[in-house]
């Protein structure tokens, strides 16, 4: 369970204050499959970064399974970020000097574990996102949508309990997006992974179980009451 | 008019040959408003890069207003790229050390011309894409969709005759995308600019005058016969 309580995030820019998030409270239960929508600049990436412990709020609290994340020792926060939380970045953030397989396996370097198992798992994930024929390519030898799919595979290598995906299908065609969404839905339905997807695709949002809409840094709609 | 004749683009990767484009022939008339669609990896970015003289084909010819682009002196090619062709990159390619206004005005440094006129034009374009309140921000202080809109403004600063846009609305919400598309359609209808948009959004494609579909590096559909 992730709970955000009264989260505010402010940036200062040339004497102005920008309220990227303004008193946001939100609870996401384990195993939920939800989407976050809203206008460009409404605060979606900021919200996801705070959920994923990549950024500290200006004020407010983040509870991970009941524990206040801000009060955890930094080593514990880093462990959650590295092992329990998978993150797909809006800009992919692949390492340009590593090939596709190296990028997907990179998180494993910090967690030990069997290298051959890791390699098998990486190959399976690359197959699932349709990229197993490109394992030796480097990111600059891939199309935008191909890089995005590698970023999705990488986010799942540690079997995270929570997957946060910032527009994970923005760079792919409709058919590939539907296939990726089925895979993400399966993680929630079958593996109990909590999956939160930021998207601009309203059809995609409609096919998740719950949609939270942001506007100017606030939650203005939440379909949480409407479970099917 | 841009004419591609028998364009092939191959990459060599670890002993394999990848046919990014395979014998593509295409004519785009002045003032047309068209979309290019296709699966992730089907060759759309490669096609656009070749139309924009950013990349040379492995074989085949590119004619710009009847002149074979490959036979032009490099200085003339550079002038076409810099002045007649506007390009919106799939990855934006904003300069991280310049602010929004500096990024939009950057192409003007190479063409001389009145600085105050250039500044007025830049502000007008930023207003048109909804970014005039962020002129002092740097790219890393903007959301993904905000960076994308700055890239669109920059592509138009030289009043290009040809605008090539690689997924120009992929990172913005539906409403912002519709507003940007209206602006791009206006360039074609009112200013006679040739506008070619790569997109994964099939609604967006349907609202252009013509759609070319790529699959595995080939043109498999072209609605050019169906003008309204
Ligand atoms: N430098 C390179 N070396 C090897 N292969 C490459 C290179 N650049 C591109 N490719 C390959 O060429 C093919 C076409 O790439 P392109 O970027 O044109 O696709 P695209 O249609 O724009 O895809 P997307 O919708 O994902 O952006 C892809 O299979 C890609 O992996
Ligand atoms: N470092 C920063 N300094 C100043 N303002 C910032 C900074 N980072 C983000 N912002 C602002 O905070 C607001 C929210 O940004 P955020 O990236 O969360 O939006 P978003 O909803 O993800 O947008 P998009 O759909 O375009 O990706 C935006 O107005 C953005 O300009
Ligand atoms: Mg964002
Ligand atoms: Mg592309």
């Amino acid at each position: 369970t992730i709970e955000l309580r009264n989260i505010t995030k402010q940036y200062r820019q040339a004497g102005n204050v920008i309220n990227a998030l303004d008193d946001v409270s939100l609870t996401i239960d384990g195993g939920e499959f939800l989407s976050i929508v809203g206008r460009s600049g409404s605060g979606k990436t900021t919200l996801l970064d705070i959920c994923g412990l990549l950024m500290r709020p200006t004020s407010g609290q983040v509870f991970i399974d009941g524990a206040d994340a801000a009060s955890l020792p930094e080593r514990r926060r880093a462990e959650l970020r590295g092992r329990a939380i998978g993150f797909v970045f809006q800009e992919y953030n692949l390492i340009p000097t590593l090939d596709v397989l190296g990028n997907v396996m990179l998180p494993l370097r910090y967690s030990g574990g069997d290298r051959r198992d890791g390699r098998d798992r990486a190959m399976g994930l690359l197959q699932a996102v349709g990229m197993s024929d490109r394992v030796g390519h480097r990111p600059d030898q891939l199309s935008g949508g191909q890089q995005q799919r590698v970023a999705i595979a990488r986010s799942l290598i540690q079997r995270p309990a929570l997957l946060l995906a910032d527009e994970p299908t923005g760079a792919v065609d409709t058919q590939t997006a539907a296939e990726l969404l089925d895979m993400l839905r399966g993680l929630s339905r079958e593996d109990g992974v909590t999956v939160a997807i930021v998207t601009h695709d309203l059809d995609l949002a409609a096919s998740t179980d719950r949609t939270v809409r942001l506007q100017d840094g606030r939650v203005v709609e939440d379909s949480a009451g409407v479970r099917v």
Side-chain angles (χ1 to χ4, degrees), chain A residues 170-211:
Chain A
V172 300
D173 54 282
T174 321
Q175 184 181 341
T176 305
E179 291 164 10
L180 291 171
L181 196 72
D182 285 346
M183 184 183 81
L184 297 177
R185 187 185 296 106
L187 290 172
S188 162
R189 293 267 190 288
E190 291 151 38
D191 304 342
V193 179
T194 309
V195 179
I197 302 171
V198 166
T199 182
H200 284 302
D201 184 333
L202 300 181
D203 295 327
L204 206 142
S207 70
T208 61
D209 299 336
R210 171 186 178 194
T211 297

Side-chain angles (χ1 to χ4, degrees), chain A residues 48-71:
Chain A
L48 222 65
D49 284 353
I50 287 173
C51 288
L53 308 184
L54 295 171
M55 181 188 289
R56 287 178 187 269
T58 306
S59 64
Q61 295 152 305
V62 182
F63 293 88
I64 307 265
D65 291 337
D68 182 345
S71 66

Side-chain angles (χ1 to χ4, degrees), chain A residues 131 134 137-147 149 171-173:
Chain A
M131 289 299 298
R134 294 301 167 92
H137 283 228
R138 270 194 287 281
D140 68 350
Q141 294 170 328
L142 300 176
S143 75
Q146 290 168 339
Q147 292 177 39
R149 284 181 273 161
V172 300
D173 54 282

